[in-house]
């Protein structure tokens, strides 16, 4: 019996060591991104949490706030093959997915060959995604949800891992196609990118206008990242955290108990609960903890819920906002 007890202890030690190594890689990646992206600690944290949780993120902010640079930097730091698509109204699904071309061999035999599009990367930046037509957006939707694409009836699997970080400009609405709720729901988080504070902008001025500019250095490989994603799914979640997730998500739906239920037109589906369950584990790992807390749920509630709910016309007329409602729901749990 002693030998089986010892082997169990050895196995536990191995698991703990693997977890410590993975957590170290993740924190090194966060620090490496921070050497290039200044004053956006919350944005960087949410973006890394999204990828650790195996999801996609929507970055919303005005031009010039380093959204493109963030995605490019994360590709380098996480050791991923990063691709970028600039979305425009005339972009076709084949411009993203790829297309089949007819080729003739030296012997005169003709055959079709598939040429992969930019979606066949590990980290895809979808720049100004709301400029693309619904037809093109739906092509990306299949890739995001199913992890494969279908061209001319043939299935083509995407590389692993596969993550989409899309950007959206909240200022310009002319010539854009707002993302449908079904596609918004596929994004694990909506991350608001705000203006940097004074000290961060001072650092940006000196770092980006001098002779030498800070360059990102790799901190992880794609295999390290996938190991971290597997570990995230194995982290234990306490009953109090599960209860907090369920209470928060269920209270954000129309008809829920309390005054807020009357203000909500439509609310988050169980996919929001799944997103919170994964994201709180990822945030715990990023901070060197091996179990999430209720504080993680409260910290991630807004970016996970706000694009999955809408207020009634009467509530908007009274000056209510989605972040304000989420804040009130959080206060009941916290």
């Amino acid at each position: 019996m002693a030998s089986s007890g010892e082997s169990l202890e050895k196995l536990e030690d191995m698991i703990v060591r693997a977890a410590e190594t993975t957590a170290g890689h993740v924190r090194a990646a966060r620090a490496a991104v921070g050497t290039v992206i200044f004053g956006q600690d919350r944005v960087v944290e949410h973006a890394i949490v999204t990828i650790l949780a195996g999801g996609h993120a929507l970055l919303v902010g005005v031009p010039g706030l380093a959204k493109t640079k963030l995605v490019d930097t994360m590709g380098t730091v996480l050791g991923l093959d990063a691709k970028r698509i600039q979305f425009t109204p005339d972009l076709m699904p084949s411009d993203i997915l790829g297309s089949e071309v007819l080729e003739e061999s030296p012997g005169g035999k003709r055959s079709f060959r598939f040429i992969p599009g930019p979606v066949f990367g590990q980290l895809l930046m979808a720049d100004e995604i709301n400029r693309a037509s619904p037809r093109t957006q739906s092509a990306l939707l299949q890739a995001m949800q199913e992890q494969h694409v279908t061209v001319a009836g043939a299935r083509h699997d995407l590389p692993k891992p596969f993550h989409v970080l899309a950007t959206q400009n909240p200022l310009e609405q002319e010539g854009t196609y707002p993302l449908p709720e079904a596609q918004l729901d596929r994004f694990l988080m909506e991350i608001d990118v705000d203006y940097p504070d004074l000290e961060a902008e001072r650092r940006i001025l000196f770092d980006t206008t001098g002779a030498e500019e800070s360059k990102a250095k790799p901190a992880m490989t794609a295999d390290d990242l996938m190991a971290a994603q597997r570990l995230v799914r194995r982290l234990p979640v306490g009953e109090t955290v599960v209860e907090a997730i369920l209470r928060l998500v269920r209270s954000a739906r129309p008809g829920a108990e309390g005054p807020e239920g009357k203000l909500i037109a439509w609310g988050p589906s169980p996919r929001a609960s799944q997103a919170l369950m994964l994201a709180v584990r990822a945030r715990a790992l990023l901070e060197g903890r091996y179990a999430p807390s209720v504080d993680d749920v409260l910290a991630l509630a807004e970016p996970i819920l706000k694009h999955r709910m809408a207020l009634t016309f009467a509530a908007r007329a009274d000056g209510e906002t989605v972040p304000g409602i989420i804040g009130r729901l959080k206060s009941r749990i916290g």
Side-chain angles (χ1 to χ4, degrees):
M1 287 298 289
S3 62
S4 66
E6 282 173 17
S7 62
L8 192 63
E9 277 183 28
K10 281 181 184 171
L11 183 64
E12 284 176 357
D13 285 347
M14 280 171 60
I15 292 169
V16 169
R17 277 202 301 275
E20 285 172 353
T21 305
T22 302
H25 283 150
V26 168
R27 288 197 296 277
R30 181 189 194 171
V33 174
T35 61
V36 180
I37 306 294
F38 309 127
Q40 299 286 8
D41 295 343
R42 182 188 53 79
V43 174
V44 170
E45 178 192 291
H46 287 173
I48 292 176
V49 162
T50 299
I51 288 180
L52 282 177
H56 313 286
L58 183 63
L59 302 165
V60 179
V62 299
L65 295 182
K67 297 187 295 295
T68 306
K69 191 172 185 180
L70 170 65
V71 182
D72 187 45
T73 302
M74 285 185 68
T76 303
V77 167
L78 299 176
L80 301 178
D81 172 28
K83 301 278 179 73
R84 178 172 182 252
I85 304 172
Q86 181 68 50
F87 280 71
T88 55
D90 60 348
L91 199 73
M92 298 296 287
S94 58
D95 295 328
I96 296 175
L97 307 180
S99 55
E100 292 204 317
V101 294
L102 186 63
E103 283 190 332
E104 190 171 334
S105 64
K109 188 181 177 186
R110 291 181 178 181
S111 60
F112 283 101
R113 182 168 68 90
F114 177 65
I115 298 178
V119 77
F120 286 86
Q122 293 171 317
L123 184 65
L124 177 67
M125 178 174 192
D127 215 349
E128 295 196 280
I129 189 172
N130 56 329
R131 287 197 175 280
S133 68
R135 186 181 172 193
T136 304
Q137 286 177 9
S138 65
L140 185 62
L141 176 74
Q142 185 200 7
M144 287 167 62
Q145 186 62 24
E146 311 294 339
Q147 307 281 306
H148 69 260
V149 300
T150 307
V151 178
R155 170 179 165 148
H156 302 276
D157 288 324
L158 294 169
K160 284 188 167 56
F162 173 72
H163 301 283
V164 175
L165 293 180
T167 71
Q168 193 169 299
N169 175 355
L171 298 179
E172 294 178 85
Q173 299 304 322
E174 196 175 328
T176 64
Y177 301 86
L179 293 177
E181 285 73 28
Q183 182 143 14
L184 281 173
D185 200 23
R186 262 56 175 198
F187 287 103
L188 188 98
M189 280 194 215
E190 182 185 307
I191 304 169
D192 286 336
V193 186
D194 293 323
Y195 295 105
D197 61 25
L198 176 64
E199 283 312 308
E201 195 155 357
R202 190 189 302 276
R203 279 188 71 192
I204 291 167
L205 281 181
F206 283 107
D207 187 77
T208 57
T209 61
E212 291 292 320
E213 192 174 337
S214 298
K215 292 278 189 286
K217 293 181 177 62
M220 291 174 80
T221 64
D223 289 336
D224 291 335
L225 177 60
M226 287 194 286
Q229 289 171 340
R230 286 193 295 273
L231 177 61
V232 163
R233 287 179 172 269
R234 291 195 183 112
L235 292 185
V237 182
E239 191 56 42
T240 53
V241 176
V242 174
E243 202 60 39
I245 290 171
L246 288 171
R247 277 178 58 200
L248 183 66
V249 173
R250 292 179 70 81
S251 66
R253 292 172 183 162
E257 287 181 22
E260 288 79 21
K262 298 184 182 69
L263 307 174
I264 299 166
W266 53 268
S269 70
R271 193 179 273 136
S273 309
Q274 294 168 330
L276 259 175
M277 191 77 161
L278 286 168
V280 294
R281 288 163 160 164
R283 186 174 189 263
L285 183 66
L286 189 60
E287 295 189 351
R289 293 177 281 117
Y290 299 116
S293 67
V294 174
D295 287 342
D296 294 318
V297 177
L298 299 176
L300 297 172
E302 192 178 312
I304 284 177
L305 293 181
K306 70 181 171 190
H307 60 295
R308 292 183 161 102
M309 52 192 293
L311 304 184
T312 62
F313 178 77
R316 294 200 307 273
D318 287 342
E320 297 283 2
T321 63
V322 169
I325 296 288
I326 294 172
R328 274 156 40 197
L329 298 176
K330 277 165 56 178
S331 66
R332 292 213 199 124
I333 290 167

